Amino acid sequence: MNVRFVTPQGEIVTTDVEPGSRLLEAGQAVGMPLEGTCEGQMACSTCHVIVFPEWFEKLAPASADEEDMLDLAAGVARTSRLSCQIELSGELDGLTVKVPGVARDMQFG
Ligand code: FES
């Protein structure tokens, strides 16, 4: 299966992923600027991505803790998610997300 990342510059990067891996790992493997500082503990929001609307509804809903972290992320949109919380099951083949610009990341602000 594969997933697609749209970079802050608008470039599309497609990558093969193993079902069961996390979107954060897939993005980091192809050099996306997703820091994932807390390694999936929902304590940082540096793994924030914006999911394309047609895919957003296919994802398992965000937990209350994830929603709370997203409130703190820079540049959030209605379809924002934490990529460390997205497990890539087979039905997400083709999932497409936008990577927000690093310049808007809080630690650069
Ligand atoms: Fe920190 Fe996802 S890696 S919230």
Side-chain angles (χ1 to χ4, degrees):
M1 65 179 285
N2 64 59
V3 293
R4 263 192 298 269
F5 294 92
V6 180
T7 70
Q9 291 75 32
E11 202 185 319
I12 297 172
V13 178
T14 305
T15 179
D16 275 333
V17 291
E18 289 294 322
S21 57
R22 301 261 157 182
L23 184 61
L24 173 62
E25 295 157 14
Q28 288 177 334
V30 289
M32 291 299 111
L34 296 169
E35 287 194 31
T37 315
C38 77
E39 295 173 352
Q41 303 305 304
M42 279 198 279
C44 73
S45 84
T46 59
C47 63
H48 164 220
V49 295
I50 299 169
V51 181
F52 276 51
E54 62 267 40
W55 288 102
F56 185 72
E57 59 208 39
K58 298 195 170 79
L59 301 176
S63 64
D65 285 347
E66 182 178 346
E67 298 281 4
D68 285 350
M69 274 325 293
L70 281 168
D71 284 344
L72 303 175
V76 280
R78 195 178 57 80
T79 61
S80 287
R81 291 295 302 265
L82 296 177
S83 60
C84 67
Q85 299 303 308
I86 298 177
E87 188 177 326
L88 297 166
S89 56
E91 67 260 31
L92 296 179
D93 188 17
L95 174 68
T96 308
V97 303
K98 184 166 171 18
V99 179
V102 251
R104 284 181 296 165
D105 208 314
M106 276 186 295
Q107 61 185 318
F108 292 87

